[in-house]
Amino acid sequence: MAKVKGAVVVNTERCKGCNLCVVACPSDVLILNKEANSKGYNFSMMENPDDCVGCAACAYVCPDACITVYKVRV
Amino acid sequence: MTTNEIINPANLVYAKTKVMNDTPMHYCPGCSHGVVHKIIGEIIDDMGVQENTIGIAPVGCAVFAYKYLDIDWQQAAHGRAPALATAVKRLLPDRLVFTYQGDGDLAAIGTAETIHACNRGENIAIIFINNGIYGMTGGQMAPTTLHGMKSSTSPNGRTVPLNGHPLDITKLLAMLDGTCYVTRQAVHNVAGVRKTKKAIRKAFENSMLGKGTSIVEVVSTCSSGWKLTPEASNDWMVENMFPAYPLGDLKDL
């Protein structure tokens, strides 16, 4: 069976740390960073990048359009 | 394969639409406005009508919509967006004209304009964001505020003897002969986002086909006004808003 691997890139300066992408992710890939961006928001980041399947659920629900999603079949 | 190898333009599946510019949005974290703005941008991009679209910005939080989407905009006075949209669409019938309004704008101060524009069957699309509260001005009670819902002007909850019933204006608009498509959606999860995108696209297409007025109500959250986290706001919306404002098509001609 073809395996799908994905990756997300978060625009950390645009992210407001609302946590909705973390909730939406079916594979528990994302968490909020303990570090904050220049505005003081704990931006979202990939904690378990190996589990990402590139479904883009995080990007669909992101209110600030700060997630870019990539997907590849391996 | 490492993450850096996957991050390659050839493998791109989702990116911010180019209709939405890079200006950081002023909305609170987790606000539904951002999702709906993004959806509108994506639809305009998909339909290839960026040069041909005129949005009518409302009063309230979404007044700054014109800062985030690179299309032509007009800003209407309180509640007058459907009236302004009527004028724009009649003068420039080849343009895609839509209004973007909140519940305080559409269901309170703009009730007359909304009902009459819909009754005339103007060929416009109305995007109606309903979060049951006046978000920008400090969380006051709106016509759409639910029974028992607390707001800054109903600190003990809305009561019928004092404040009357929540106004389901979308249901009211569905009864008018001028409307062709009336639907209620939400953007709290992926399925909701996809359905809302489909609904708004249909509303835009209806307006270009001259079928009449289309209304897409998006039941939304106001985490600052509701004093909940964005995640808890979504749960609260599912539990409390959906029974009063059930999702689905109310009219589709």
Side-chain angles (χ1 to χ4, degrees):
Chain A
M1 201 178 102
K3 208 176 160 218
V4 178
K5 285 206 69 171
V8 303
V9 178
V10 179
N11 183 338
T12 52
E13 276 306 303
R14 202 175 158 91
C15 179
K16 293 177 187 157
C18 71
N19 205 40
L20 290 182
C21 56
V22 178
V23 178
C25 179
S27 320
D28 295 328
V29 172
L30 298 164
I31 57 159
L32 292 188
N33 200 327
K34 288 196 173 62
E35 308 279 313
N37 64 17
S38 67
K39 292 174 190 151
Y41 292 123
N42 298 95
F43 53 88
S44 156
M45 62 176 272
M46 283 206 287
E47 165 78 346
N48 308 307
D50 293 341
D51 293 342
C52 181
V53 292
C55 68
C58 52
Y60 278 109
V61 300
C62 176
D64 289 279
C66 38
I67 301 181
T68 309
V69 185
Y70 300 89
K71 182 159 88 173
V72 67
R73 280 178 193 281
V74 288
Chain B
M1 189 174 266
T2 66
T3 302
N4 281 336
E5 285 167 339
I6 301 170
I7 298 169
N8 178 330
N11 302 330
L12 185 73
V13 286
Y14 192 99
K16 180 170 77 64
T17 166
K18 62 180 192 306
V19 176
M20 180 176 260
N21 61 30
D22 290 328
T23 314
M25 290 194 272
H26 74 287
Y27 301 118
C28 307
C31 179
S32 310
H33 273 312
V35 185
V36 182
H37 281 26
K38 189 175 73 175
I39 292 173
I40 292 173
E42 286 169 5
I43 295 166
I44 290 169
D45 202 3
D46 292 348
M47 289 173 76
V49 291
Q50 188 178 3
E51 299 296 317
N52 225 10
T53 304
I54 301 174
I56 314 292
V59 169
C61 288
V63 63
F64 293 128
Y66 50 70
K67 282 163 85 175
Y68 311 129
L69 292 174
D70 280 333
I71 53 174
D72 290 330
W73 286 94
Q74 271 287 335
Q75 204 272 317
H78 306 74
R80 309 311 181 236
L84 185 54
T86 300
V88 173
K89 184 68 181 180
R90 287 188 179 200
L91 290 167
L92 300 165
D94 61 322
R95 307 297 165 93
L96 170 60
V97 181
F98 72 93
T99 72
Y100 185 103
Q101 301 175 265
D103 48 326
D105 185 79
L106 183 139
I109 198 164
T111 315
E113 283 76 8
T114 306
I115 289 180
H116 284 292
C118 290
N119 194 43
R120 290 191 306 267
E122 300 294 343
N123 294 314
I124 56 171
I126 296 176
I127 317 292
F128 168 35
I129 308 295
N130 178 9
N131 55 16
I133 210 167
Y134 281 82
M136 181 182 244
T137 52
Q140 288 86 356
M141 183 173 57
T144 47
T145 300
L146 305 174
H147 286 305
M149 183 173 167
K150 288 179 182 170
S151 69
S152 61
T153 47
S154 59
N156 298 318
R158 179 176 187 152
T159 60
V160 175
L162 189 62
N163 314 114
H165 296 278
L167 175 60
D168 189 345
I169 193 158
T170 307
K171 202 156 106 188
L172 192 70
L173 297 175
M175 288 160 63
L176 301 175
D177 290 335
T179 53
C180 64
Y181 180 49
V182 182
T183 186
R184 188 183 284 126
Q185 304 293 339
V187 290
H188 60 302
N189 59 21
V190 179
V193 172
R194 285 181 196 271
K195 281 186 197 160
T196 307
K197 188 170 175 182
K198 230 168 137 182
I200 297 178
R201 170 140 195 171
K202 188 168 184 175
F204 283 4
E205 285 169 353
N206 282 347
S207 80
M208 293 315 284
L209 292 170
K211 289 174 77 175
T213 313
S214 302
I215 296 110
V216 181
E217 172 180 346
V218 185
V219 184
S220 301
T221 61
C222 179
S223 39
S224 297
W226 295 357
K227 309 203 187 315
L228 296 167
T229 64
E231 187 190 342
S233 298
N234 275 341
D235 295 340
W236 193 91
M237 175 174 74
V238 172
E239 206 175 304
N240 298 284
M241 295 284 278
F242 289 180
Y245 302 111
L247 305 189
D249 290 355
L250 284 86
K251 185 178 188 180
D252 186 6
L253 300 181

